[in-house]
Amino acid sequence: MRVPKGWVPVVSREILEELLKKSLIELTVSKEKAAELLNELMLEELTVEDRLNEEVRQMLKKFDSEIEKGRLDYRKLFDMTKQKLVKERNIIL
């Protein structure tokens, strides 16, 4: 995640305030609940790449011995696997 987790509540509250100020949204829940939901949504979106990286690491564990023997380049394999998953899942990073 490129944005520190501590900033997410502040940023989400600012976004909510701006949307309300410009009358771009109408809340059907309390302002606090909307801020909480927006915070959760932002955290989920901001951690997509972290979760994908962990998934790729887990996938590559089965090639540990080949990587240790120098038969495979971990960085290259990691990047290729990640790009393949990004393309397959239409993920925007």
Side-chain angles (χ1 to χ4, degrees), residues 1-3 8 41-50:
M1 186 163 81
R2 295 179 189 141
V3 176
V8 174
L41 181 65
M42 287 182 64
L43 277 174
E44 188 174 316
E45 285 298 317
L46 290 170
T47 58
V48 165
E49 188 169 7
D50 295 340

Side-chain angles (χ1 to χ4, degrees), residues 78-93:
F78 183 92
D79 290 341
M80 289 172 60
T81 305
K82 184 176 175 179
Q83 288 308 311
K84 183 178 186 256
L85 292 177
V86 165
K87 188 175 180 179
E88 284 177 358
R89 298 175 185 175
N90 294 322
I91 297 172
I92 298 171
L93 299 177

